[in-house]
Amino acid sequence: MADVLPLVEARLRTALGEPDARAAVTFLGTDRIEVLRFQQGGIARYASLGMSAHPMTDPTAVVADPVKGPRAELVLSVRSGVADTDKVLRPLAVLAASPQVEGLVVAPGASLDVGEPLWSGAPFTSVLVAEPGGLVEDLELDEPLDPVRFLPLLPMTPNEAAWKRVHGAQALQERWLNHGTDLRDPSRKSVTLE
C-alpha cells in the first residue's frame, strides 16, 4: 500500500503552490506532524501534513482499523502582515495530532480548542472545522482507503465558541455571513451575537 503523505503533499502543492516554509513537531507516542506555509497574494495558508497517515478511529471502537476510516489534513488561511501568525505552527500541529493523541474523529462542524491563543496576541483559542472541497480537492486513494479531506479551519473567539456550542456550527456560520465577517483577519473582533 502506497505511503499517503507524498500524495497529500503533492495535492497541496498542486492547489496552493510551493511552500515557502515548513516546520515539524513530534509529540510523545505520535508520528511527526509537519505544517507547511504557502503564501498566495496577501494570504498565508498553513496546512498540516501527517494527520492523514493513519485513518481516524471512533474512540468507542474496541479495535482500531488500520486501513478503513476517515483521513484528513487541516488548512488555516489568514491575511499576511497583520499579526505574527507563524506562531500558529505548534497549535496547528497539536490539532492535527489530536486524532492520534485523543482518539478524536475531526469532522466538519466540530470545534477544536488549544486552550491558548493560536498565535501571540490572537483573539482566538479555538477553530471551527468547515466543509472541505473548496480550496483543496479531496484526494482519492486506492480502495479500501478512504479519501483524504482537506478541512478548512475558521478561527473562533471564546464568545463565538460558546455561542456555537448552544446554537450550532451552521448558525454561527450564517451569523458570520450575515455580518460580512472577514474570517481571514487575524485580529478581527467577535461577531455580534445578540
Side-chain angles (χ1 to χ4, degrees):
M1 203 170 302
D3 185 7
V4 172
L5 296 184
L7 302 173
V8 170
E9 184 169 353
R11 175 57 53 94
L12 287 168
R13 287 172 184 264
T14 299
L16 305 176
E18 287 298 312
D20 68 340
R22 66 192 309 146
V25 180
T26 304
F27 302 98
L28 187 62
T30 68
D31 293 338
R32 182 169 109 153
I33 300 287
E34 287 189 85
V35 177
L36 300 121
R37 183 183 69 195
F38 301 86
Q39 292 287 348
Q40 290 187 315
I43 304 294
R45 300 192 193 280
Y46 300 91
S48 66
L49 179 63
M51 182 177 169
S52 62
H54 305 284
M56 293 181 275
T57 306
D58 182 341
T60 62
V62 178
V63 177
D65 189 325
V67 177
K68 291 290 290 168
R71 293 175 188 260
E73 294 292 351
L74 307 175
V75 181
L76 175 70
S77 299
V78 292
R79 293 205 183 288
S80 299
V82 179
D84 186 11
T85 56
D86 282 349
K87 302 292 184 196
V88 78
L89 298 175
R90 183 167 175 73
L92 187 57
V94 167
L95 296 177
S98 61
Q100 287 183 60
V101 175
E102 300 174 35
L104 293 179
V105 175
V106 178
S111 299
L112 302 174
D113 195 318
V114 293
E116 60 185 38
L118 293 176
W119 52 84
S120 301
F124 319 105
T125 60
S126 62
V127 293
L128 174 64
V129 181
E131 291 291 333
L135 186 62
V136 183
E137 289 183 31
D138 292 354
L139 173 64
E140 297 295 330
L141 300 173
D142 294 336
E143 290 290 335
L145 302 180
D146 287 17
V148 176
R149 304 177 89 194
F150 297 88
L151 301 171
L153 300 180
L154 308 174
M156 293 188 294
T157 65
N159 287 344
E160 290 169 340
W163 197 86
K164 182 255 176 196
R165 281 192 294 275
V166 174
H167 300 281
Q170 184 64 36
L172 179 58
Q173 288 178 305
E174 287 172 10
R175 187 156 291 265
W176 281 334
L177 187 61
N178 292 338
H179 285 81
T181 306
D182 180 1
L183 297 174
R184 295 179 186 165
D185 180 352
S187 58
R188 74 172 178 84
K189 304 289 185 226
S190 183
V191 70
T192 304
L193 299 171
E194 297 170 0

